[in-house]
Amino acid sequence: MQKIQFRLALIGAIIIAGIALIAPSALWYMKSPEIRSELERAKQIPKWLLRLGLDLRGGTHLLLELDTDKLLQVAGQSMTAEDALDRAVEIVRNRVDQFGVSEPFIAKQGKRFIVVQLPGVSDPRRAKDIIGKTAMLEFRMVNDSTQAGEALGKLRELDKVWNDDGTLTAAAKAVLPAGTDLFKSRDQQDFHILSSTVALTGAYLVNARVEFGDFQLPTVSFVFNAEGGRIFSALTQANVGKQMAILLDGLVQSAPVIRERIPGGRGIIEGNFSMQEAKDLALVLRAGALPAPVRIAEERTVGPTLGEDSIKAGVSSLLLGCLLIFAFVCVYYRASGVISVFCLMLNLFLSLGALAAFNATLTLPGLAGLALTIGMAIDANVLIFERLREELALGKPVRIAIDMAYDRVLTTIIDANLTTLIAAFFLFQFGSGPIKGFAVTLTLGLIISMFTAIFVSRTVYMVYYENNREAKSISV
């Protein structure tokens, strides 16, 4: 009896732990989507939460490619392509964190790709603009010479100023004064002839935020560190009365006239921004510039409706499979079938609790992993029941038949589950995100199924025998 009491106490403790782990997720998804969004923005998320993946919740999947050919132009010769990719991942993560996405997935893929998954993002275009913007901030002096003015007039008369690849045409280069470059305005409707020398960059930037200027129009104020402040102060002092262009990713945001020396390393970017544009610009400036330009190599958007349909289809198939299995084992194995149903339900419940404990993300392949776990668990029960039938048919007492049935099938069950666990390990090691989700749920489910099929069901039989010592058979 002491052995049985210990087993029951252990099973009870594990069930209580499972309830404690799964309850926060149940309460969380009972809330409306609007309330969950507000709590996510306030970072009031439960410690143990079974999260829904992109295919179930909806959102945006982006594959970014780092243009390493332009790395030296942006980051300098000291940064390798590998270092640039690491820095790009860090900057993208900072931008996504400030964007307010809950539980994003950001990871390197290969030597120049970055995978970004944003569950629940309802505005993929804005997300792409924020994540893909290089955010290279530059300050250049405007060339206001007579020669530059004449060059602007000639440029406006040309049929074509830029080639399709973004470079200047030969005719445009021919009219530019020496030591200057041509840049488009923010609305890409006008040209600016600027000095080829970059007077100051955003590398010294420490903060940027939205403020309101004249007529309550949003502007972006920025602050440099001490070294950047000294450079900015000297630059403005030496160029009082001249125009200084502020560029972001090669586009002139504004070109104000320097009225006086600007001490303290503070400035303002004006450009007829909307409030959202100003917020996004401040966000990317705070997060820092990417070490090289990126392009979106692949984009997939999953709508919330499609996500809900995936959940319904996945859960429905899982429930239907379970019901068919439950009906079969209860009819075919009678009372023992009822025990197996209890163990299968406990297996599913504990698997979800374990996923919540690891803060795992449940995807559609993850649901498939749970369904496969149910199949493996019922397979273990069938082995036990069939062996138990054979032992009872040989006329052995109930207690001996139970012990021999479990002892003799133990090796077979471990062998079957171990081979599947090895396959799951390799899927996790070499697979991508969805495949890893399948492998995780399958692994947890198999480990728990061995506990429920061998330990829990045997405990139930032991309790039955203690209460029915005179029984000469058992319903199986």
Side-chain angles (χ1 to χ4, degrees):
M1 277 304 295
Q2 289 181 349
K3 187 176 181 180
I4 293 176
Q5 289 172 355
F6 170 77
R7 282 173 165 260
L8 291 175
L10 179 60
I11 294 171
I14 292 176
I15 292 175
I16 292 173
I19 294 173
L21 290 172
I22 204 66
S25 298
L27 295 173
W28 176 262
Y29 289 109
M30 287 173 62
K31 302 179 188 296
S32 65
E34 294 77 13
I35 295 177
R36 292 203 303 267
S37 298
E38 292 179 2
L39 292 174
E40 286 174 353
R41 284 192 292 268
K43 299 188 181 300
Q44 298 178 2
I45 303 175
K47 180 180 179 181
W48 295 310
L49 180 63
L50 181 59
R51 295 167 175 84
L52 299 181
L54 193 70
D55 49 0
L56 297 181
R57 186 180 177 185
T60 300
H61 169 97
L62 300 174
L63 181 65
L64 307 178
E65 181 182 9
L66 194 69
D67 189 354
T68 54
D69 294 336
K70 297 183 179 179
L71 176 62
L72 300 181
Q73 302 175 19
V74 179
Q77 298 183 1
S78 60
M79 182 173 287
T80 65
E82 184 178 357
D83 292 337
L85 186 62
D86 291 336
R87 174 164 170 75
V89 170
E90 179 183 352
I91 291 171
V92 168
R93 182 173 287 110
N94 290 337
R95 291 182 182 182
V96 170
D97 289 344
Q98 294 189 50
F99 186 53
V101 180
S102 174
E103 298 306 318
F105 174 79
I106 303 166
K108 293 186 294 183
Q109 182 171 301
K111 296 182 178 180
R112 55 194 178 93
F113 291 98
I114 304 172
V115 177
V116 182
Q117 293 184 352
L118 308 174
V121 171
S122 58
D123 190 354
R125 179 178 297 179
R126 180 177 169 232
K128 288 189 295 182
D129 290 342
I130 290 175
I131 294 170
K133 191 185 291 293
T134 306
M136 188 63 184
L137 184 66
E138 297 177 333
F139 296 81
R140 298 175 185 242
M141 298 309 301
V142 177
N143 189 317
D144 56 359
S145 65
T146 303
Q147 187 181 4
E150 293 174 353
L152 279 175
K154 294 177 181 179
L155 287 168
R156 293 189 177 103
E157 293 175 358
L158 292 177
D159 293 333
K160 192 173 184 180
V161 178
W162 273 278
N163 295 313
D164 295 337
D165 60 358
T167 60
L168 284 173
T169 61
K173 289 181 180 179
V175 302
L176 283 178
T180 63
D181 288 323
L182 187 66
F183 293 90
K184 294 179 182 180
S185 61
R186 176 171 168 266
D187 58 9
Q188 302 194 16
Q189 300 298 316
D190 201 2
F191 312 130
H192 295 271
I193 297 179
L194 310 179
S195 171
S196 299
T197 303
V198 179
L200 184 62
T201 71
Y204 303 98
L205 209 66
V206 294
N207 194 17
R209 64 179 183 178
V210 178
E211 292 185 353
F212 291 95
D214 298 335
F215 307 107
Q216 292 299 303
L217 292 176
T219 61
V220 178
S221 67
F222 56 86
V223 181
F224 290 114
N225 59 19
E227 184 180 357
R230 286 193 295 270
I231 298 173
F232 191 61
S233 177
L235 176 65
T236 54
Q237 184 176 10
N239 293 279
V240 173
K242 298 181 180 180
Q243 279 184 287
M244 180 178 64
I246 303 174
L247 296 90
L248 183 70
D249 292 344
L251 296 178
V252 177
Q253 304 295 315
S254 61
V257 176
I258 301 174
R259 301 297 182 188
E260 59 184 4
R261 181 178 74 91
I262 305 176
R266 296 176 178 271
I268 293 177
I269 303 175
E270 297 176 329
N272 295 323
F273 301 114
S274 67
M275 177 57 74
Q276 194 62 65
E277 289 173 335
K279 287 181 178 179
D280 292 347
L281 176 55
L283 186 157
V284 296
L285 290 178
R286 284 195 304 270
L290 290 170
V294 298
R295 74 175 186 88
I296 297 176
E298 179 186 346
E299 175 190 357
R300 295 199 306 270
T301 301
V302 180
T305 303
L306 182 59
E308 291 176 5
D309 292 342
S310 299
I311 294 175
K312 292 177 182 177
V315 172
S316 298
S317 61
L318 186 62
L319 290 177
L320 180 60
C322 289
L323 288 175
L324 291 175
I325 291 173
F326 294 169
F328 171 77
V329 295
C330 288
V331 171
Y332 194 77
Y333 293 110
R334 293 171 291 180
S336 295
V338 175
I339 295 174
S340 70
V341 167
F342 168 74
C343 292
L344 288 174
M345 294 178 65
L346 183 60
N347 177 20
L348 186 60
F349 174 75
L350 293 179
S351 297
L352 294 175
L355 290 172
F358 286 106
N359 287 323
T361 299
L362 185 62
T363 60
L364 205 55
L367 288 176
L370 289 177
L372 182 57
T373 297
I374 296 297
M376 295 291 292
I378 198 63
D379 179 59
N381 282 285
V382 168
L383 288 173
I384 294 169
F385 296 157
E386 291 298 328
R387 187 67 193 186
L388 183 56
R389 278 183 171 179
E390 292 177 5
E391 298 296 338
L392 291 172
L394 294 174
K396 295 179 180 178
V398 172
R399 178 58 188 268
I400 295 176
I402 293 173
D403 289 342
M404 294 190 68
Y406 277 92
D407 292 342
R408 292 185 176 181
V409 301
L410 181 62
T411 304
T412 305
I413 293 174
I414 292 177
D415 178 69
N417 284 276
L418 186 59
T419 53
T420 309
L421 284 173
I422 293 172
F425 170 77
F426 283 103
L427 287 175
F428 182 83
Q429 186 70 23
F430 301 107
S432 59
I435 302 301
K436 287 187 176 183
F438 173 81
V440 169
T441 53
L442 180 60
T443 300
L444 290 174
L446 287 176
I447 294 172
I448 294 171
S449 71
M450 284 191 283
F451 168 75
T452 56
I454 298 173
F455 188 85
V456 176
S457 64
R458 188 168 187 173
T459 302
V460 175
Y461 278 124
M462 290 171 68
V463 172
Y464 170 81
Y465 177 76
E466 287 297 326
N467 293 320
N468 299 272
R469 283 181 173 271
E470 303 301 323
K472 296 183 179 181
S473 184
I474 189 171
S475 179
V476 66

